[in-house]
Short mmCIF file of all heavy atoms in Angstrom, two decimals:
data_model
loop_
_atom_site.label_atom_id
_atom_site.label_comp_id
_atom_site.label_asym_id
_atom_site.label_seq_id
_atom_site.Cartn_x
_atom_site.Cartn_y
_atom_site.Cartn_z
N VAL P 59 0.86 -1.17 0.00
CA VAL P 59 0.00 0.00 0.00
C VAL P 59 0.90 1.23 0.00
O VAL P 59 1.83 1.34 0.79
CB VAL P 59 -0.93 0.01 1.24
CG1 VAL P 59 -1.72 1.30 1.30
CG2 VAL P 59 -1.85 -1.19 1.24
N TYR P 60 0.60 2.16 -0.89
CA TYR P 60 1.34 3.41 -0.99
C TYR P 60 0.40 4.57 -0.66
O TYR P 60 -0.65 4.70 -1.28
CB TYR P 60 1.92 3.60 -2.39
CG TYR P 60 2.90 2.52 -2.77
CD1 TYR P 60 2.46 1.35 -3.37
CD2 TYR P 60 4.25 2.67 -2.53
CE1 TYR P 60 3.37 0.34 -3.70
CE2 TYR P 60 5.16 1.67 -2.87
CZ TYR P 60 4.70 0.51 -3.45
OH TYR P 60 5.59 -0.48 -3.78
N LEU P 61 0.77 5.37 0.31
CA LEU P 61 -0.02 6.51 0.73
C LEU P 61 0.69 7.77 0.22
O LEU P 61 1.88 7.96 0.49
CB LEU P 61 -0.10 6.57 2.26
CG LEU P 61 -0.54 5.29 2.98
CD1 LEU P 61 -0.43 5.48 4.49
CD2 LEU P 61 -1.94 4.89 2.57
N TYR P 62 -0.05 8.60 -0.49
CA TYR P 62 0.53 9.81 -1.09
C TYR P 62 0.03 11.06 -0.40
O TYR P 62 -1.15 11.16 -0.06
CB TYR P 62 0.19 9.88 -2.58
CG TYR P 62 0.87 8.82 -3.40
CD1 TYR P 62 0.32 7.55 -3.50
CD2 TYR P 62 2.06 9.09 -4.06
CE1 TYR P 62 0.95 6.56 -4.24
CE2 TYR P 62 2.68 8.11 -4.82
CZ TYR P 62 2.12 6.84 -4.89
OH TYR P 62 2.75 5.88 -5.63
N ARG P 63 0.91 12.02 -0.24
CA ARG P 63 0.57 13.29 0.40
C ARG P 63 -0.41 14.09 -0.46
O ARG P 63 -1.29 14.77 0.05
CB ARG P 63 1.82 14.12 0.66
CG ARG P 63 1.52 15.43 1.37
CD ARG P 63 2.76 16.20 1.71
NE ARG P 63 3.45 15.51 2.79
CZ ARG P 63 4.76 15.58 3.00
NH1 ARG P 63 5.52 16.31 2.21
NH2 ARG P 63 5.32 14.93 3.98
N ASP P 64 -0.27 14.02 -1.78
CA ASP P 64 -1.13 14.78 -2.68
C ASP P 64 -1.99 13.86 -3.53
O ASP P 64 -1.71 12.66 -3.65
CB ASP P 64 -0.29 15.67 -3.60
CG ASP P 64 0.44 16.77 -2.84
OD1 ASP P 64 -0.06 17.20 -1.79
OD2 ASP P 64 1.51 17.20 -3.31
N GLY P 65 -3.02 14.43 -4.13
CA GLY P 65 -3.88 13.67 -5.02
C GLY P 65 -3.12 13.24 -6.28
O GLY P 65 -2.00 13.71 -6.54
N ASN P 66 -3.72 12.35 -7.03
CA ASN P 66 -3.15 11.84 -8.28
C ASN P 66 -1.79 11.17 -8.09
O ASN P 66 -0.94 11.22 -8.97
CB ASN P 66 -3.07 12.94 -9.34
CG ASN P 66 -4.43 13.42 -9.75
OD1 ASN P 66 -5.33 12.63 -9.99
ND2 ASN P 66 -4.61 14.73 -9.78
N PHE P 67 -1.58 10.59 -6.91
CA PHE P 67 -0.37 9.84 -6.60
C PHE P 67 0.90 10.68 -6.75
O PHE P 67 1.91 10.24 -7.26
CB PHE P 67 -0.27 8.58 -7.49
CG PHE P 67 -1.57 7.85 -7.62
CD1 PHE P 67 -2.25 7.80 -8.82
CD2 PHE P 67 -2.13 7.21 -6.53
CE1 PHE P 67 -3.45 7.13 -8.94
CE2 PHE P 67 -3.34 6.54 -6.63
CZ PHE P 67 -4.00 6.50 -7.84
N GLU P 68 0.83 11.92 -6.29
CA GLU P 68 1.96 12.84 -6.42
C GLU P 68 2.52 13.20 -5.05
O GLU P 68 1.91 12.98 -4.03
CB GLU P 68 1.53 14.11 -7.16
CG GLU P 68 1.13 13.83 -8.60
CD GLU P 68 0.75 15.08 -9.36
OE1 GLU P 68 0.81 16.18 -8.80
OE2 GLU P 68 0.38 14.94 -10.53
N SER P 69 3.71 13.78 -5.07
CA SER P 69 4.40 14.28 -3.90
C SER P 69 4.99 13.14 -3.08
O SER P 69 5.27 12.07 -3.59
CB SER P 69 3.47 15.17 -3.07
OG SER P 69 4.20 15.82 -2.05
N PHE P 70 5.13 13.36 -1.80
CA PHE P 70 5.76 12.40 -0.90
C PHE P 70 4.91 11.14 -0.79
O PHE P 70 3.69 11.20 -0.82
CB PHE P 70 5.95 13.03 0.48
CG PHE P 70 6.83 12.22 1.38
CD1 PHE P 70 8.20 12.36 1.33
CD2 PHE P 70 6.28 11.31 2.26
CE1 PHE P 70 9.01 11.60 2.15
CE2 PHE P 70 7.09 10.55 3.09
CZ PHE P 70 8.46 10.69 3.03
N VAL P 71 5.58 9.99 -0.65
CA VAL P 71 4.86 8.71 -0.54
C VAL P 71 5.38 7.92 0.66
O VAL P 71 6.57 7.93 0.96
CB VAL P 71 4.99 7.88 -1.84
CG1 VAL P 71 6.44 7.52 -2.13
CG2 VAL P 71 4.14 6.63 -1.79
N TRP P 72 4.44 7.29 1.36
CA TRP P 72 4.76 6.37 2.44
C TRP P 72 4.40 4.97 1.96
O TRP P 72 3.30 4.75 1.44
CB TRP P 72 3.95 6.66 3.69
CG TRP P 72 4.23 7.99 4.31
CD1 TRP P 72 5.20 8.28 5.23
CD2 TRP P 72 3.53 9.21 4.09
NE1 TRP P 72 5.13 9.60 5.60
CE2 TRP P 72 4.12 10.20 4.90
CE3 TRP P 72 2.46 9.58 3.26
CZ2 TRP P 72 3.68 11.52 4.92
CZ3 TRP P 72 2.02 10.89 3.29
CH2 TRP P 72 2.63 11.84 4.10
N ARG P 73 5.29 4.00 2.13
CA ARG P 73 5.01 2.62 1.72
C ARG P 73 4.74 1.78 2.96
O ARG P 73 5.55 1.75 3.88
CB ARG P 73 6.21 2.05 0.97
CG ARG P 73 5.97 0.64 0.51
CD ARG P 73 7.15 0.10 -0.25
NE ARG P 73 6.91 -1.27 -0.65
CZ ARG P 73 7.86 -2.14 -0.92
NH1 ARG P 73 9.13 -1.79 -0.84
NH2 ARG P 73 7.55 -3.36 -1.27
N LEU P 74 3.60 1.11 2.95
CA LEU P 74 3.24 0.24 4.07
C LEU P 74 3.35 -1.21 3.63
O LEU P 74 2.82 -1.59 2.59
CB LEU P 74 1.80 0.51 4.53
CG LEU P 74 1.47 1.91 5.00
CD1 LEU P 74 0.00 2.00 5.39
CD2 LEU P 74 2.35 2.31 6.16
N LYS P 75 4.01 -2.02 4.44
CA LYS P 75 4.11 -3.46 4.19
C LYS P 75 3.23 -4.26 5.13
O LYS P 75 3.05 -5.45 4.95
CB LYS P 75 5.56 -3.92 4.34
CG LYS P 75 6.49 -3.35 3.29
CD LYS P 75 7.88 -3.91 3.47
CE LYS P 75 8.84 -3.37 2.45
NZ LYS P 75 10.17 -3.98 2.60
N GLU P 76 2.71 -3.59 6.15
CA GLU P 76 1.85 -4.26 7.15
C GLU P 76 0.90 -3.23 7.73
O GLU P 76 1.01 -2.03 7.45
CB GLU P 76 2.70 -4.88 8.25
CG GLU P 76 3.59 -3.89 8.96
CD GLU P 76 4.57 -4.57 9.91
OE1 GLU P 76 4.96 -5.71 9.68
OE2 GLU P 76 4.91 -3.92 10.91
N ALA P 77 -0.02 -3.70 8.54
CA ALA P 77 -1.01 -2.82 9.17
C ALA P 77 -0.32 -1.73 9.97
O ALA P 77 0.73 -1.94 10.58
CB ALA P 77 -1.93 -3.64 10.07
N CYS P 78 -0.93 -0.55 9.95
CA CYS P 78 -0.37 0.60 10.67
C CYS P 78 -1.50 1.26 11.45
O CYS P 78 -2.32 1.98 10.89
CB CYS P 78 0.24 1.58 9.67
SG CYS P 78 0.97 3.02 10.45
N PRO P 79 -1.56 1.01 12.78
CA PRO P 79 -2.67 1.54 13.58
C PRO P 79 -2.63 3.06 13.79
O PRO P 79 -3.62 3.64 14.20
CB PRO P 79 -2.53 0.81 14.91
CG PRO P 79 -1.10 0.43 14.98
CD PRO P 79 -0.66 0.19 13.56
N ASP P 80 -1.51 3.69 13.48
CA ASP P 80 -1.38 5.13 13.73
C ASP P 80 -0.42 5.74 12.71
O ASP P 80 0.79 5.70 12.89
CB ASP P 80 -0.89 5.36 15.15
CG ASP P 80 -0.85 6.83 15.55
OD1 ASP P 80 -1.25 7.69 14.74
OD2 ASP P 80 -0.42 7.11 16.68
N VAL P 81 -0.97 6.32 11.61
CA VAL P 81 -0.10 6.88 10.57
C VAL P 81 0.65 8.12 11.05
O VAL P 81 1.61 8.54 10.41
CB VAL P 81 -0.88 7.19 9.27
CG1 VAL P 81 -1.40 5.92 8.65
CG2 VAL P 81 -1.97 8.20 9.48
N ALA P 82 0.25 8.68 12.18
CA ALA P 82 0.98 9.82 12.74
C ALA P 82 2.42 9.43 13.04
O ALA P 82 3.33 10.25 12.92
CB ALA P 82 0.30 10.33 14.00
N LYS P 83 2.64 8.18 13.41
CA LYS P 83 4.00 7.71 13.70
C LYS P 83 4.87 7.71 12.45
O LYS P 83 6.09 7.71 12.53
CB LYS P 83 3.96 6.32 14.32
CG LYS P 83 3.35 6.33 15.71
CD LYS P 83 3.31 4.96 16.33
CE LYS P 83 2.66 5.02 17.70
NZ LYS P 83 2.56 3.72 18.33
N LEU P 84 4.23 7.72 11.27
CA LEU P 84 4.96 7.79 10.00
C LEU P 84 5.19 9.24 9.58
O LEU P 84 5.89 9.49 8.60
CB LEU P 84 4.16 7.09 8.89
CG LEU P 84 3.77 5.64 9.08
CD1 LEU P 84 2.86 5.20 7.95
CD2 LEU P 84 5.01 4.77 9.15
N GLY P 85 4.55 10.16 10.27
CA GLY P 85 4.58 11.55 9.86
C GLY P 85 3.50 11.87 8.84
O GLY P 85 3.59 12.87 8.13
N ALA P 86 2.48 11.02 8.75
CA ALA P 86 1.44 11.17 7.73
C ALA P 86 0.11 11.65 8.29
O ALA P 86 -0.89 11.65 7.59
CB ALA P 86 1.25 9.84 7.02
N LYS P 87 0.08 12.09 9.54
CA LYS P 87 -1.19 12.48 10.17
C LYS P 87 -1.89 13.57 9.36
O LYS P 87 -1.32 14.63 9.10
CB LYS P 87 -0.94 12.97 11.59
CG LYS P 87 -2.20 13.32 12.32
CD LYS P 87 -1.93 13.68 13.77
CE LYS P 87 -3.23 13.94 14.50
NZ LYS P 87 -3.05 14.01 15.93
N LYS P 88 -3.12 13.27 8.95
CA LYS P 88 -3.97 14.20 8.20
C LYS P 88 -3.28 14.76 6.96
O LYS P 88 -3.44 15.93 6.61
CB LYS P 88 -4.47 15.31 9.10
CG LYS P 88 -5.38 14.78 10.19
CD LYS P 88 -6.08 15.87 10.95
CE LYS P 88 -7.01 15.22 11.97
NZ LYS P 88 -7.87 16.16 12.62
N GLN P 89 -2.49 13.90 6.28
CA GLN P 89 -1.79 14.33 5.07
C GLN P 89 -2.03 13.40 3.88
O GLN P 89 -1.51 13.65 2.81
CB GLN P 89 -0.29 14.38 5.34
CG GLN P 89 0.12 15.43 6.34
CD GLN P 89 1.61 15.57 6.42
OE1 GLN P 89 2.29 15.73 5.42
NE2 GLN P 89 2.13 15.50 7.63
N ILE P 90 -2.83 12.36 4.04
CA ILE P 90 -3.00 11.38 2.97
C ILE P 90 -4.10 11.83 2.02
O ILE P 90 -5.23 12.10 2.44
CB ILE P 90 -3.33 9.99 3.56
CG1 ILE P 90 -2.18 9.54 4.46
CG2 ILE P 90 -3.57 8.98 2.44
CD1 ILE P 90 -2.51 8.35 5.32
N SER P 91 -3.76 11.91 0.71
CA SER P 91 -4.71 12.40 -0.29
C SER P 91 -4.99 11.39 -1.39
O SER P 91 -5.98 11.54 -2.11
CB SER P 91 -4.18 13.69 -0.92
OG SER P 91 -4.08 14.70 0.07
N SER P 92 -4.12 10.40 -1.57
CA SER P 92 -4.37 9.35 -2.56
C SER P 92 -3.69 8.07 -2.11
O SER P 92 -2.73 8.10 -1.33
CB SER P 92 -3.91 9.77 -3.96
OG SER P 92 -2.57 10.16 -4.00
N ILE P 93 -4.21 6.95 -2.59
CA ILE P 93 -3.71 5.63 -2.19
C ILE P 93 -3.58 4.74 -3.42
O ILE P 93 -4.51 4.64 -4.22
CB ILE P 93 -4.64 4.97 -1.16
CG1 ILE P 93 -4.70 5.80 0.13
CG2 ILE P 93 -4.19 3.54 -0.85
CD1 ILE P 93 -5.66 5.29 1.18
N ARG P 94 -2.42 4.09 -3.54
CA ARG P 94 -2.19 3.12 -4.61
C ARG P 94 -2.01 1.76 -3.96
O ARG P 94 -1.30 1.64 -2.95
CB ARG P 94 -0.96 3.49 -5.43
CG ARG P 94 -0.79 2.65 -6.68
CD ARG P 94 0.45 3.02 -7.47
NE ARG P 94 0.50 4.41 -7.85
CZ ARG P 94 0.12 4.90 -9.02
NH1 ARG P 94 -0.36 4.09 -9.94
NH2 ARG P 94 0.24 6.18 -9.29
N LEU P 95 -2.64 0.75 -4.53
CA LEU P 95 -2.61 -0.60 -3.96
C LEU P 95 -1.85 -1.56 -4.86
O LEU P 95 -1.88 -1.43 -6.08
CB LEU P 95 -4.05 -1.12 -3.79
CG LEU P 95 -4.97 -0.27 -2.94
CD1 LEU P 95 -6.39 -0.83 -3.02
CD2 LEU P 95 -4.50 -0.22 -1.51
N GLY P 96 -1.24 -2.56 -4.23
CA GLY P 96 -0.62 -3.65 -4.98
C GLY P 96 -1.71 -4.62 -5.44
O GLY P 96 -2.86 -4.54 -4.99
N PRO P 97 -1.36 -5.56 -6.30
CA PRO P 97 -2.33 -6.54 -6.79
C PRO P 97 -2.98 -7.32 -5.65
O PRO P 97 -2.30 -7.75 -4.72
CB PRO P 97 -1.50 -7.46 -7.67
CG PRO P 97 -0.26 -6.70 -7.99
CD PRO P 97 -0.03 -5.77 -6.84
N GLY P 98 -4.30 -7.46 -5.70
CA GLY P 98 -5.02 -8.24 -4.70
C GLY P 98 -5.03 -7.65 -3.32
O GLY P 98 -5.28 -8.34 -2.33
N THR P 99 -4.79 -6.35 -3.20
CA THR P 99 -4.68 -5.69 -1.91
C THR P 99 -5.88 -4.79 -1.65
O THR P 99 -6.39 -4.16 -2.57
CB THR P 99 -3.40 -4.84 -1.83
OG1 THR P 99 -2.28 -5.67 -2.09
CG2 THR P 99 -3.23 -4.19 -0.48
N GLU P 100 -6.32 -4.73 -0.40
CA GLU P 100 -7.31 -3.77 0.05
C GLU P 100 -6.70 -3.00 1.22
O GLU P 100 -5.81 -3.49 1.89
CB GLU P 100 -8.59 -4.45 0.53
CG GLU P 100 -9.50 -4.90 -0.55
CD GLU P 100 -10.85 -5.36 -0.02
OE1 GLU P 100 -10.97 -5.66 1.19
OE2 GLU P 100 -11.78 -5.41 -0.82
N CYS P 101 -7.23 -1.83 1.45
CA CYS P 101 -6.76 -0.99 2.55
C CYS P 101 -7.98 -0.40 3.24
O CYS P 101 -8.88 0.11 2.58
CB CYS P 101 -5.88 0.12 1.98
SG CYS P 101 -5.34 1.35 3.18
N VAL P 102 -8.02 -0.49 4.55
CA VAL P 102 -9.11 0.12 5.31
C VAL P 102 -8.53 1.31 6.05
O VAL P 102 -7.55 1.18 6.79
CB VAL P 102 -9.75 -0.87 6.31
CG1 VAL P 102 -10.88 -0.20 7.07
CG2 VAL P 102 -10.24 -2.12 5.58
N ILE P 103 -9.12 2.48 5.82
CA ILE P 103 -8.70 3.68 6.55
C ILE P 103 -9.79 4.05 7.56
O ILE P 103 -10.96 3.76 7.34
CB ILE P 103 -8.39 4.86 5.59
CG1 ILE P 103 -9.59 5.18 4.69
CG2 ILE P 103 -7.15 4.56 4.77
CD1 ILE P 103 -9.37 6.37 3.77
N TYR P 104 -9.37 4.64 8.65
CA TYR P 104 -10.27 4.98 9.75
C TYR P 104 -10.15 6.46 10.08
O TYR P 104 -9.10 7.07 9.84
CB TYR P 104 -9.92 4.16 10.99
CG TYR P 104 -10.09 2.67 10.80
CD1 TYR P 104 -9.07 1.89 10.28
CD2 TYR P 104 -11.29 2.05 11.15
CE1 TYR P 104 -9.24 0.53 10.10
CE2 TYR P 104 -11.45 0.69 10.97
CZ TYR P 104 -10.42 -0.07 10.45
OH TYR P 104 -10.59 -1.42 10.28
N ASP P 105 -11.18 7.01 10.70
CA ASP P 105 -11.12 8.42 11.08
C ASP P 105 -10.60 8.63 12.50
O ASP P 105 -10.56 9.74 13.00
CB ASP P 105 -12.46 9.12 10.87
CG ASP P 105 -13.58 8.63 11.77
OD1 ASP P 105 -13.35 7.70 12.57
OD2 ASP P 105 -14.70 9.18 11.66
N SER P 106 -10.17 7.54 13.16
CA SER P 106 -9.54 7.61 14.48
C SER P 106 -8.36 6.65 14.52
O SER P 106 -8.30 5.69 13.74
CB SER P 106 -10.54 7.24 15.58
OG SER P 106 -11.61 8.15 15.60
N GLU P 107 -7.44 6.88 15.44
CA GLU P 107 -6.27 6.00 15.56
C GLU P 107 -6.67 4.62 16.04
O GLU P 107 -7.76 4.41 16.55
CB GLU P 107 -5.25 6.59 16.56
CG GLU P 107 -4.58 7.86 16.10
CD GLU P 107 -5.27 9.09 16.64
OE1 GLU P 107 -6.33 8.96 17.27
OE2 GLU P 107 -4.75 10.20 16.42
N ASN P 108 -5.75 3.68 15.89
CA ASN P 108 -5.88 2.31 16.40
C ASN P 108 -7.08 1.56 15.85
O ASN P 108 -7.81 0.89 16.57
CB ASN P 108 -5.89 2.31 17.93
CG ASN P 108 -4.59 2.84 18.50
OD1 ASN P 108 -3.52 2.42 18.08
ND2 ASN P 108 -4.67 3.78 19.41
N PHE P 109 -7.31 1.71 14.54
CA PHE P 109 -8.36 0.97 13.83
C PHE P 109 -9.74 1.23 14.44
O PHE P 109 -10.54 0.32 14.58
CB PHE P 109 -8.06 -0.53 13.82
CG PHE P 109 -6.68 -0.87 13.34
CD1 PHE P 109 -5.79 -1.51 14.18
CD2 PHE P 109 -6.26 -0.55 12.07
CE1 PHE P 109 -4.51 -1.85 13.76
CE2 PHE P 109 -4.98 -0.87 11.63
CZ PHE P 109 -4.11 -1.52 12.47
N SER P 110 -10.03 2.47 14.81
CA SER P 110 -11.33 2.78 15.41
C SER P 110 -12.01 3.93 14.67
O SER P 110 -11.41 4.62 13.87
CB SER P 110 -11.16 3.11 16.89
OG SER P 110 -10.35 4.26 17.06
N GLY P 111 -13.29 4.08 14.96
CA GLY P 111 -14.07 5.13 14.32
C GLY P 111 -14.67 4.66 13.01
O GLY P 111 -14.74 3.47 12.71
N LYS P 112 -15.09 5.61 12.21
CA LYS P 112 -15.68 5.32 10.91
C LYS P 112 -14.61 4.73 9.99
O LYS P 112 -13.47 5.19 9.97
CB LYS P 112 -16.24 6.61 10.31
CG LYS P 112 -16.99 6.41 9.02
CD LYS P 112 -17.59 7.72 8.54
CE LYS P 112 -18.23 7.52 7.18
NZ LYS P 112 -18.73 8.79 6.64
N ALA P 113 -14.98 3.70 9.22
CA ALA P 113 -14.04 3.01 8.34
C ALA P 113 -14.42 3.20 6.88
O ALA P 113 -15.60 3.36 6.54
CB ALA P 113 -14.00 1.53 8.67
N ASN P 114 -13.43 3.19 6.01
CA ASN P 114 -13.62 3.27 4.57
C ASN P 114 -12.67 2.26 3.93
O ASN P 114 -11.46 2.35 4.10
CB ASN P 114 -13.31 4.68 4.07
CG ASN P 114 -13.55 4.85 2.58
OD1 ASN P 114 -14.19 4.04 1.93
ND2 ASN P 114 -13.02 5.93 2.04
N THR P 115 -13.22 1.29 3.20
CA THR P 115 -12.40 0.28 2.54
C THR P 115 -12.02 0.75 1.14
O THR P 115 -12.89 1.08 0.33
CB THR P 115 -13.14 -1.07 2.45
OG1 THR P 115 -13.46 -1.50 3.77
CG2 THR P 115 -12.28 -2.13 1.78
N ILE P 116 -10.73 0.78 0.88
CA ILE P 116 -10.20 1.14 -0.44
C ILE P 116 -9.85 -0.17 -1.14
O ILE P 116 -9.01 -0.93 -0.66
CB ILE P 116 -8.95 2.03 -0.31
CG1 ILE P 116 -9.19 3.22 0.61
CG2 ILE P 116 -8.44 2.45 -1.68
CD1 ILE P 116 -10.20 4.22 0.14
N SER P 117 -10.49 -0.45 -2.28
CA SER P 117 -10.26 -1.72 -2.97
C SER P 117 -9.65 -1.54 -4.36
O SER P 117 -9.39 -2.51 -5.06
CB SER P 117 -11.55 -2.53 -3.06
OG SER P 117 -12.55 -1.77 -3.69
N LYS P 118 -9.40 -0.28 -4.74
CA LYS P 118 -8.71 -0.01 -6.01
C LYS P 118 -7.92 1.28 -5.84
O LYS P 118 -8.15 2.04 -4.88
CB LYS P 118 -9.71 0.12 -7.16
CG LYS P 118 -10.69 1.26 -7.00
CD LYS P 118 -11.67 1.31 -8.17
CE LYS P 118 -12.60 2.51 -8.00
NZ LYS P 118 -13.49 2.66 -9.11
N ASN P 119 -7.00 1.53 -6.74
CA ASN P 119 -6.22 2.76 -6.66
C ASN P 119 -7.16 3.96 -6.60
O ASN P 119 -8.13 4.04 -7.36
CB ASN P 119 -5.29 2.89 -7.88
CG ASN P 119 -4.20 1.86 -7.87
OD1 ASN P 119 -3.84 1.31 -6.84
ND2 ASN P 119 -3.64 1.58 -9.03
N SER P 120 -6.86 4.87 -5.69
CA SER P 120 -7.70 6.05 -5.50
C SER P 120 -6.86 7.31 -5.64
O SER P 120 -6.09 7.65 -4.74
CB SER P 120 -8.36 6.02 -4.12
OG SER P 120 -9.22 4.92 -4.02
N ALA P 121 -7.01 8.00 -6.78
CA ALA P 121 -6.26 9.22 -7.04
C ALA P 121 -6.73 10.37 -6.15
O ALA P 121 -6.01 11.34 -5.95
CB ALA P 121 -6.36 9.61 -8.51
N SER P 122 -7.94 10.24 -5.63
CA SER P 122 -8.49 11.23 -4.72
C SER P 122 -9.31 10.50 -3.65
O SER P 122 -10.08 9.60 -3.97
CB SER P 122 -9.40 12.22 -5.47
OG SER P 122 -10.08 13.05 -4.55
N LEU P 123 -9.16 10.91 -2.42
CA LEU P 123 -9.92 10.29 -1.33
C LEU P 123 -11.21 11.05 -1.03
O LEU P 123 -11.90 10.72 -0.06
CB LEU P 123 -9.05 10.18 -0.08
CG LEU P 123 -7.83 9.27 -0.21
CD1 LEU P 123 -7.07 9.24 1.12
CD2 LEU P 123 -8.23 7.87 -0.62
N GLY P 124 -11.54 12.05 -1.83
CA GLY P 124 -12.79 12.77 -1.65
C GLY P 124 -12.92 13.34 -0.25
O GLY P 124 -12.05 14.05 0.23
N ASP P 125 -14.01 12.99 0.43
CA ASP P 125 -14.26 13.50 1.78
C ASP P 125 -13.22 13.04 2.80
O ASP P 125 -13.13 13.61 3.89
CB ASP P 125 -15.65 13.07 2.27
CG ASP P 125 -16.77 13.76 1.50
OD1 ASP P 125 -16.51 14.79 0.85
OD2 ASP P 125 -17.91 13.25 1.54
N TRP P 126 -12.47 12.02 2.48
CA TRP P 126 -11.45 11.49 3.39
C TRP P 126 -10.09 12.19 3.19
O TRP P 126 -9.14 11.92 3.91
CB TRP P 126 -11.28 9.99 3.20
CG TRP P 126 -12.40 9.21 3.79
CD1 TRP P 126 -13.64 8.99 3.26
CD2 TRP P 126 -12.40 8.55 5.06
NE1 TRP P 126 -14.40 8.24 4.11
CE2 TRP P 126 -13.65 7.94 5.23
CE3 TRP P 126 -11.45 8.40 6.06
CZ2 TRP P 126 -13.99 7.20 6.34
CZ3 TRP P 126 -11.78 7.65 7.18
CH2 TRP P 126 -13.04 7.08 7.31
N ASN P 127 -9.98 13.06 2.21
CA ASN P 127 -8.73 13.75 1.92
C ASN P 127 -8.22 14.47 3.18
O ASN P 127 -8.93 15.26 3.79
CB ASN P 127 -8.95 14.76 0.79
CG ASN P 127 -7.66 15.41 0.36
OD1 ASN P 127 -6.72 14.73 0.00
ND2 ASN P 127 -7.63 16.73 0.40
N ASP P 128 -6.97 14.17 3.54
CA ASP P 128 -6.30 14.79 4.70
C ASP P 128 -7.06 14.61 6.01
O ASP P 128 -6.95 15.42 6.92
CB ASP P 128 -6.06 16.28 4.46
CG ASP P 128 -5.07 16.56 3.35
OD1 ASP P 128 -4.28 15.66 3.04
OD2 ASP P 128 -5.10 17.67 2.80
N LYS P 129 -7.82 13.53 6.14
CA LYS P 129 -8.60 13.29 7.36
C LYS P 129 -8.10 12.11 8.19
O LYS P 129 -8.51 11.94 9.32
CB LYS P 129 -10.07 13.04 6.99
CG LYS P 129 -10.72 14.19 6.26
CD LYS P 129 -11.45 15.11 7.20
CE LYS P 129 -11.95 16.34 6.53
NZ LYS P 129 -13.22 16.25 5.89
N VAL P 130 -7.27 11.24 7.63
CA VAL P 130 -6.80 10.05 8.36
C VAL P 130 -5.82 10.51 9.44
O VAL P 130 -4.78 11.10 9.12
CB VAL P 130 -6.16 9.01 7.43
CG1 VAL P 130 -5.67 7.81 8.21
CG2 VAL P 130 -7.14 8.60 6.34
N PRO P 131 -6.17 10.29 10.72
CA PRO P 131 -5.33 10.83 11.80
C PRO P 131 -4.02 10.07 11.99
O PRO P 131 -3.87 8.96 11.63
CB PRO P 131 -6.21 10.70 13.03
CG PRO P 131 -7.19 9.64 12.72
CD PRO P 131 -7.33 9.61 11.24
#
């Protein structure tokens, strides 16, 4: 899973190889704007840390996170 700071898969990128309960530890708090997935991969993002709060499942590359843009804590 690749998390991008800007939409359209641009700017700084964070690469995740495993679950990450708190993206703030990566320096990505409220900065994720697009997500690219590897083959057969899904990603669930939450509006609170530690896999809590409202969830949104990303099942394909997302050049824009819409209402979730810069909201993942």
Side-chain angles (χ1 to χ4, degrees):
V59 175
Y60 299 88
L61 309 174
Y62 291 83
R63 182 176 289 153
D64 293 332
N66 295 315
F67 316 112
E68 295 182 2
S69 189
F70 192 85
V71 62
W72 296 272
R73 181 179 179 203
L74 301 179
K75 294 183 180 183
E76 58 189 29
C78 180
D80 185 2
V81 296
K83 292 180 181 178
L84 303 173
K87 183 175 184 168
K88 296 190 178 189
Q89 294 188 51
I90 300 168
S91 297
S92 55
I93 297 176
R94 189 181 304 264
L95 303 173
T99 303
E100 281 189 341
C101 174
V102 180
I103 56 177
Y104 297 86
D105 66 358
S106 298
E107 292 96 354
N108 297 312
F109 310 118
S110 62
K112 186 176 175 184
N114 182 15
T115 300
I116 309 295
S117 56
K118 62 181 183 177
N119 292 338
S120 297
S122 172
L123 297 180
D125 291 342
W126 285 80
N127 186 56
D128 293 339
K129 300 266 173 85
V130 179

